[in-house]
Amino acid sequence: MTELLIFSFLVGAVLGQRFRVLVLLPLTFVMLLAAIPVGWMADLGFLDGLKGVAFAAIALQAGYLFGSAARFALAAGRAARVFARPLKTAR
């Protein structure tokens, strides 16, 4: 389960770098559809599988938030460097 959460967080961070927030809806739906057969193969109960999907969706969203914040921080740093103005210390 920990591996799934880490993978989900990293996928969210990569998606946060490139896509808008609407990409999370279809990805969460695909994750839900993929979790059903995986839960059957791992011999998990329905509630255990649903709990794993819920935690993975939360990790995906947290990763998206982290990736999006990193993108904006990098863009702000770049903009400050490109559009830097000299300080006027004396008039």
Side-chain angles (χ1 to χ4, degrees):
M1 174 113 161
T2 304
E3 295 88 3
L4 175 66
L5 295 178
I6 292 171
F7 180 73
S8 183
F9 183 86
L10 292 176
V11 167
V14 169
L15 291 175
Q17 291 282 322
R18 298 289 173 203
F19 295 101
R20 296 185 186 242
V21 74
L22 290 179
V23 75
L24 293 176
L25 291 174
L27 191 62
T28 303
F29 183 69
V30 168
M31 187 172 40
L32 178 66
L33 290 178
I36 293 170
V38 169
W40 286 340
M41 287 187 290
D43 197 29
L44 292 174
F46 177 73
L47 291 178
D48 289 334
L50 192 62
K51 181 179 68 171
V53 169
F55 284 147
I58 291 170
L60 179 73
Q61 293 176 8
Y64 182 88
L65 181 65
F66 177 78
S68 181
R71 178 182 63 170
F72 286 122
L74 290 173
R78 239 180 276 129
R81 190 175 16 154
V82 171
F83 298 113
R85 295 188 178 129
L87 294 174
K88 293 182 181 179
T89 56
R91 288 190 174 200

